[in-house]
Structure formats: structure tokens, C-alpha cells
Amino acid sequence: MWRLLPRLPLYWAFRRWGRPGALPFSVVVSVSYRCNSRCRTCGVWQKESEELTAEEWGRAFASLGRNLVYLTFTGGEPFLRRDLPRLAEAAYIHCRPLLITIPTNGLLTEQVLSGTEAICRAAPGSQIGLNLSLDGVGEEHDRIRGVPGNWERALRTWQGLKALQARLPNLVLSIHTVLSRENIGRFREVYQGLQALEPDSYITEVAEERVELGTVGWDITPSPEAYRPVADFLAREAHGTRARGIAALTQAFRRRYYGLAAATLEQGRQVIPCYAGWASAQFAPNGDVWTCCVRAEPVGNLREVGYDLQRIWFAPDGRLADLRRSIARGECACPMANAAYANMLLHPPTALSVALEAAGHTLGKGRER
């Protein structure tokens, strides 16, 4: 975290004046559209795309260098790529990210366990956040995910991950719930059921109509009226949980995120400035570069520029420049978590309030001891 703070003024200037340039510090890599779930909130499994090889991704990570702080491998189901550990190792060698996050549906138990262990050992200096996706409890989860027996298979994976964690100090286990019209009305029951699994952290995100996921027109996003009480509940839960150090900081950011997501749904605008296209980015399986996955508008392709992101990121004009102007004008707004956390860090009032809250939690915990 500390290595990022001196660079924040670069991103403020980059967004406002276009210089000096800075490579993104938060990147999502979609390694594959292939998926063995059939979710009611995602149609990515219906898409097809050529996939860059592990060697090609390694060259792309080399172009990012030590600028990268937060990295997410997503899909599809990331563990359908058996070479996922090689991708993570390449990212670690070239970028040394602080955090590598990987979501999974937990259906491929043995592959998830062996892959997670290999990734943790290949990137010992990074925190590896393994997020198990659970949208309900028991049959409700199976219904939303479209796979009979998903819940039981996911629990077997979770139990195996818990056992792994005892000997992998850099492994953090989270449960992730997509909040949609399918489950928003029963969220309190879902929350209580999932807390019994004792995750290190619990994460939610709002279901969106994304170009990337093929969900435009699906009407899956919960109404602002339905989401607001859930956001308030989650914020209270995050505030009431005592933590220290980086955990306290993470909780404080998460608490602010719930309020930000609710306000974005209610107001239909960028509540704080969006830095997608300056500080954060997403790469598609075929190497297309996007500012974010909601609009998913390609601004270039890594393979076509010799895997050198700088040739796309610092181009003075073209598709990326047009898209940046659109984002700066506020022509889009969304509660997407990956971009939101970067945006909050780059919004001084939010970042200051988060820092003060985290410090208060840490001091409070110290007094209790």
C-alpha cells in the first residue's frame, strides 16, 4: 500500500491534464470466458474468445512492471485454465503485486486446491485472496448458479481450502455474493447462513448489466430501494468488526463501498470521479484492453502491440482518448467493485475518512488488549 501513496498525484494529474502518464495500478485479467456454471446473473459462458498463452501473458506483465499493485484473475471460471499458476507466477516475477485475487465457483475441487497451493508458493510475497462465490445457501445457490449439487461441491472445496490455509500464510479466504433480484429479498438469511462458514472476509457486489458478461437487458440489478437497506446493514457489520492494520483499512474501504454503490444506484451518476482508464483497467482473454468490463469497449490489443501496454495506454489520441473523455464527462456510472476501490483511494475526502476510521479501529483494538 505504501509504495502506491507517492504515485497518487500522478493519477490526479493524468486524469485532469493527460500528463504525466502512469500505468494502471489495478488490473483485472479475464483469463477465459469458459465456465462450468450457468448463472442467472451471468452469460459469459456463452461467449467464445481466443485465449492468450501463459507466455504471452508473461510478456504483458513485463510491460506493467512494478506499477501493478492489485491484480485479479477472473473468467469464466479461472481454474478451468490449468496453467493459471504459471500466469500468477509470471505476474509475481515481473510485477510483485501486493494482492492477487481469484474468484471461483468451487466446482473443480481438486484443481482449485492444487492450483491455489501452487499460486501461494509461487508468489510468497503477495497476499493471495481466494474468493468462493456463493449466492445463496443450499438449493437456492444451486438454482441461481444453474448447477445441481453446486452447493455441496463448493463446500468440499471450502473445507479443502481451510485445510490448506493452515500451512499457507499468504492465503486469505473470502466468500463473495452477487446481489441481484434473485436473492436481494432474502439477503439476511443468506448472510447468516454464509457467516457460519467463518470466512476471513465477506464480500458482496451488485449484479450489473455488463457488456463483458452478456447481461445487457437482463434486468438483474436490484432496485435502489431494495439495495439501500442491505448496504446499510453491511456497512454496520463492517464497522462493528474490530480489526488492526491492513485488515482495518480493508474493512473501512469496504464500508464506504457499500454506501457508494447504493448512492450510485440511487442517483444514476458517478458519485465520485471514476479513474477507469487511468488507474484501473481490464484485459480480455484475447488480449483486448478495456477501461472496464461494464462498457468493455476495446481500445487496443496486447498482441497487436507486442504485448507492450504503454503503446496503448499513452497514445495521445484514438479510442482510449475518446473513451477517457466520455468517462470524465460522467457519461457512465456503475457500482463495479474493482474500479470503485481504486476510485475511493484516489478521492481525497473518501481516502482520508477511511484512513481515520481504520486508525480508530486499530487504536480501539489496542486499548481492548
PDB file of all heavy atoms in Angstrom, residues 48-52 285-287 303:
ATOM      1  N   GLU A  48     -17.353 -16.812 -26.813  1.00  0.00           N
ATOM      2  CA  GLU A  48     -16.148 -17.515 -27.239  1.00  0.00           C
ATOM      3  C   GLU A  48     -15.048 -16.504 -27.524  1.00  0.00           C
ATOM      4  O   GLU A  48     -15.311 -15.391 -27.973  1.00  0.00           O
ATOM      5  CB  GLU A  48     -16.419 -18.353 -28.506  1.00  0.00           C
ATOM      6  CG  GLU A  48     -17.407 -19.493 -28.298  1.00  0.00           C
ATOM      7  CD  GLU A  48     -17.596 -20.319 -29.556  1.00  0.00           C
ATOM      8  OE1 GLU A  48     -16.948 -19.979 -30.577  1.00  0.00           O
ATOM      9  OE2 GLU A  48     -18.366 -21.288 -29.516  1.00  0.00           O
ATOM     10  N   SER A  49     -13.817 -16.887 -27.225  1.00  0.00           N
ATOM     11  CA  SER A  49     -12.697 -15.987 -27.474  1.00  0.00           C
ATOM     12  C   SER A  49     -11.408 -16.780 -27.525  1.00  0.00           C
ATOM     13  O   SER A  49     -11.235 -17.753 -26.777  1.00  0.00           O
ATOM     14  CB  SER A  49     -12.606 -14.927 -26.376  1.00  0.00           C
ATOM     15  OG  SER A  49     -11.468 -14.107 -26.560  1.00  0.00           O
ATOM     16  N   GLU A  50     -10.506 -16.369 -28.376  1.00  0.00           N
ATOM     17  CA  GLU A  50      -9.156 -16.906 -28.335  1.00  0.00           C
ATOM     18  C   GLU A  50      -8.508 -16.472 -27.027  1.00  0.00           C
ATOM     19  O   GLU A  50      -8.796 -15.391 -26.506  1.00  0.00           O
ATOM     20  CB  GLU A  50      -8.351 -16.377 -29.521  1.00  0.00           C
ATOM     21  CG  GLU A  50      -6.961 -16.966 -29.641  1.00  0.00           C
ATOM     22  CD  GLU A  50      -6.208 -16.413 -30.842  1.00  0.00           C
ATOM     23  OE1 GLU A  50      -6.775 -15.563 -31.559  1.00  0.00           O
ATOM     24  OE2 GLU A  50      -5.049 -16.825 -31.033  1.00  0.00           O
ATOM     25  N   GLU A  51      -7.650 -17.311 -26.460  1.00  0.00           N
ATOM     26  CA  GLU A  51      -7.010 -17.004 -25.181  1.00  0.00           C
ATOM     27  C   GLU A  51      -5.507 -16.841 -25.369  1.00  0.00           C
ATOM     28  O   GLU A  51      -4.865 -17.673 -26.016  1.00  0.00           O
ATOM     29  CB  GLU A  51      -7.283 -18.117 -24.169  1.00  0.00           C
ATOM     30  CG  GLU A  51      -8.772 -18.313 -23.863  1.00  0.00           C
ATOM     31  CD  GLU A  51      -9.041 -19.534 -22.987  1.00  0.00           C
ATOM     32  OE1 GLU A  51      -8.050 -20.169 -22.535  1.00  0.00           O
ATOM     33  OE2 GLU A  51     -10.215 -19.851 -22.752  1.00  0.00           O
ATOM     34  N   LEU A  52      -4.960 -15.765 -24.805  1.00  0.00           N
ATOM     35  CA  LEU A  52      -3.513 -15.617 -24.814  1.00  0.00           C
ATOM     36  C   LEU A  52      -2.873 -16.751 -24.025  1.00  0.00           C
ATOM     37  O   LEU A  52      -3.435 -17.240 -23.041  1.00  0.00           O
ATOM     38  CB  LEU A  52      -3.101 -14.285 -24.189  1.00  0.00           C
ATOM     39  CG  LEU A  52      -3.535 -12.983 -24.886  1.00  0.00           C
ATOM     40  CD1 LEU A  52      -2.813 -11.803 -24.239  1.00  0.00           C
ATOM     41  CD2 LEU A  52      -3.260 -13.011 -26.381  1.00  0.00           C
ATOM     42  N   PRO A 285      -9.688 -12.114 -22.522  1.00  0.00           N
ATOM     43  CA  PRO A 285      -8.894 -13.328 -22.773  1.00  0.00           C
ATOM     44  C   PRO A 285      -8.029 -13.257 -24.025  1.00  0.00           C
ATOM     45  O   PRO A 285      -6.942 -13.853 -24.057  1.00  0.00           O
ATOM     46  CB  PRO A 285      -9.969 -14.414 -22.903  1.00  0.00           C
ATOM     47  CG  PRO A 285     -11.107 -13.918 -22.075  1.00  0.00           C
ATOM     48  CD  PRO A 285     -11.118 -12.433 -22.279  1.00  0.00           C
ATOM     49  N   ASN A 286      -8.487 -12.536 -25.045  1.00  0.00           N
ATOM     50  CA  ASN A 286      -7.723 -12.449 -26.295  1.00  0.00           C
ATOM     51  C   ASN A 286      -6.720 -11.312 -26.307  1.00  0.00           C
ATOM     52  O   ASN A 286      -6.079 -11.050 -27.321  1.00  0.00           O
ATOM     53  CB  ASN A 286      -8.677 -12.296 -27.484  1.00  0.00           C
ATOM     54  CG  ASN A 286      -9.402 -10.955 -27.493  1.00  0.00           C
ATOM     55  OD1 ASN A 286      -9.409 -10.245 -26.477  1.00  0.00           O
ATOM     56  ND2 ASN A 286     -10.019 -10.611 -28.612  1.00  0.00           N
ATOM     57  N   GLY A 287      -6.590 -10.606 -25.162  1.00  0.00           N
ATOM     58  CA  GLY A 287      -5.632  -9.512 -25.080  1.00  0.00           C
ATOM     59  C   GLY A 287      -6.208  -8.145 -25.362  1.00  0.00           C
ATOM     60  O   GLY A 287      -5.479  -7.146 -25.322  1.00  0.00           O
ATOM     61  N   ARG A 303      -1.579  -8.219 -28.134  1.00  0.00           N
ATOM     62  CA  ARG A 303      -0.827  -8.975 -29.133  1.00  0.00           C
ATOM     63  C   ARG A 303      -0.414  -8.076 -30.291  1.00  0.00           C
ATOM     64  O   ARG A 303       0.683  -8.203 -30.852  1.00  0.00           O
ATOM     65  CB  ARG A 303      -1.674 -10.148 -29.626  1.00  0.00           C
ATOM     66  CG  ARG A 303      -0.973 -11.048 -30.614  1.00  0.00           C
ATOM     67  CD  ARG A 303      -1.869 -12.209 -30.997  1.00  0.00           C
ATOM     68  NE  ARG A 303      -1.913 -13.241 -29.959  1.00  0.00           N
ATOM     69  CZ  ARG A 303      -2.798 -14.235 -29.935  1.00  0.00           C
ATOM     70  NH1 ARG A 303      -3.734 -14.303 -30.868  1.00  0.00           N
ATOM     71  NH2 ARG A 303      -2.744 -15.144 -28.981  1.00  0.00           N
TER      72      ARG A 303
END
